[in-house]
Structure formats: C-alpha cells, structure tokens
C-alpha cells in the first residue's frame, strides 16, 4: 500500500468516526436529564425519547465498528506497521505499545458493552438499562481514544 493510499484511508476513517461521535454526542445531550437510566423509566419513554435512545445506540455501535474495523487498521497502515493480516488482538497490543490505544484490555471491554446492549431483553428492562448506562459511561473512553489518535497523528478536529 502506498503512503498516499494509507493516508487517504486514515483520513476517511477519521472523518467517519467524527460523524458518528458528533451524532452520538447530540443524542447523549438529549438523554442527559434521564441518565442514569433504570428499567421502569425505560419502559415509560415516549416515542421521541425512544428515537433519541435508538440514535445513541446506533451511533455508539457504528463508532466502535468504525474505530475497530477502519481507523485502527488505518493507523497501523499509515505508520507502515505490517499488521494488516494479523488478528485484532495483535493490532490492539501493537497500538497500545505505540501509545495510540491506552489499553487493549479496555478496548475489549468497550466491545463487550456494545455487544451487551446490541441485544434487547424485552423481559428484562433493568438489564437493558444497565447496559445502556455502561455505554453512556464509556463514551468518555471513546472520546479519549479518538483524542489521543488525533493528537498523535495531528488529525483535524
């Protein structure tokens, strides 16, 4: 892969992550008065609040997908690190060693949170609320990860 292609992929992935972060923050601002969530309140949300919650869930998942499948590989390619065909854990460990990912373990925990609330539990609103609260609390970790990558590579805000 040429340096120009690697740089283009990095900037494309960066812009995608920025879009998801923007929309996720917007949804989170609307949800803020209702956080932390609990199961009984979750069941009483009106259609507008459900729509905002769905927006948050969608963007949280898409942001993680974009970071994991596009941005992190693009960072490695841009750095000319030969990790294209390596397992994700190897990529995470390399990025942690290079200082781009604060903790490979924390990234895996964030993925587990995303996977947890990707499934709805219609008979267990407390479980749904608990997963959503974990996701809301983990937004700062995603922001910190993007800030670190942006600063290290001097990417636009």
């Amino acid at each position: 892969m040429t340096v120009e292609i690697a740089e283009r992929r990095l900037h494309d992935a960066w812009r995608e992550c920025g879009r998801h972060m923007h929309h996720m923050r917007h949804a989170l601002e609307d949800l803020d008065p209702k956080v932390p969530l609990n199961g009984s309140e979750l069941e009483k949300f009106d259609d507008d609040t459900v729509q905002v919650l769905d927006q948050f869930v969608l963007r949280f998942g898409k942001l993680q997908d974009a970071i994991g499948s596009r941005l992190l590989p693009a960072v490695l390619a841009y750095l000319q690190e030969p990790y294209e065909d390596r397992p994700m854990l190897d990529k995470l460990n390399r990025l942690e060693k290079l200082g781009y990912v604060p903790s490979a373990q924390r990234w895996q925990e964030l993925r587990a949170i995303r996977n947890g609330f990707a499934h709805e539990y219609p008979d267990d609103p407390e479980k749904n609320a608990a997963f959503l609260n974990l996701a809301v609390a983990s937004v700062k970790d995603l922001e910190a990860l993007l800030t670190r990558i942006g600063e290290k590579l001097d990417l636009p805000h």
Side-chain angles (χ1 to χ4, degrees), residues 9 16 22 36 39-40 55 60 69 71 75 78 80 88-89 109-110 119 121 126-127 132 143 147 149-150 155-156:
R9 287 183 180 174
E16 180 182 353
H22 169 80
S40 61
Q55 175 75 359
F60 185 85
S69 68
L71 183 61
V75 169
Y78 178 76
Q80 302 293 304
M88 186 63 183
L89 187 56
E109 292 167 3
L110 292 171
H119 306 286
Y121 303 94
E126 289 300 330
K127 186 181 249 182
L132 289 166
E143 289 175 325
T147 297
I149 290 171
L155 294 168

Side-chain angles (χ1 to χ4, degrees), residues 95-116:
L95 288 165
E96 181 180 349
K97 189 172 185 172
L98 294 170
Y100 287 87
V101 172
S103 164
Q105 177 63 34
R106 182 62 182 146
W107 174 255
Q108 292 177 310
E109 292 167 3
L110 292 171
R111 293 299 289 176
I113 292 168
R114 178 224 179 258
N115 292 340

Side-chain angles (χ1 to χ4, degrees), residues 11-156:
H11 284 273
D12 288 348
W14 182 249
R15 279 191 296 276
E16 180 182 353
C17 290
R19 278 192 312 273
H20 294 312
M21 180 60 83
H22 169 80
H23 293 297
M24 185 178 67
R25 280 186 192 136
H26 183 76
L28 197 52
E29 286 173 15
D30 289 346
L31 287 174
D32 191 53
K34 298 172 178 14
V35 173
L37 304 167
N38 68 55
S40 61
E41 291 173 349
L42 199 60
E43 290 184 313
K44 296 175 187 168
F45 279 173
D46 60 25
D47 289 345
D48 291 339
T49 305
V50 170
Q51 188 173 9
V52 170
L53 190 58
D54 286 348
Q55 175 75 359
F56 171 76
V57 169
L58 175 76
R59 294 299 178 165
F60 185 85
K62 283 185 173 255
L63 176 59
Q64 282 202 14
D65 290 345
I67 292 171
S69 68
R70 298 195 59 217
L71 183 61
L72 298 179
V75 169
L76 287 168
Y78 178 76
L79 298 172
Q80 302 293 304
E81 293 284 334
Y83 278 72
E84 189 170 319
D85 296 324
R86 305 283 289 270
M88 186 63 183
L89 187 56
D90 290 351
K91 293 175 186 176
L92 288 169
N93 287 330
R94 182 64 182 153
L95 288 165
E96 181 180 349
K97 189 172 185 172
L98 294 170
Y100 287 87
V101 172
S103 164
Q105 177 63 34
R106 182 62 182 146
W107 174 255
Q108 292 177 310
E109 292 167 3
L110 292 171
R111 293 299 289 176
I113 292 168
R114 178 224 179 258
N115 292 340
F117 78 74
H119 306 286
E120 275 197 32
Y121 303 94
D123 297 329
D124 196 346
E126 289 300 330
K127 186 181 249 182
N128 289 330
F131 278 121
L132 289 166
N133 287 327
L134 285 172
V136 168
S138 69
V139 166
K140 66 181 183 326
D141 294 322
L142 293 172
E143 289 175 325
L145 172 65
L146 291 177
T147 297
R148 179 182 286 222
I149 290 171
E151 288 175 355
K152 286 185 77 73
L153 295 175
D154 197 26
L155 294 168

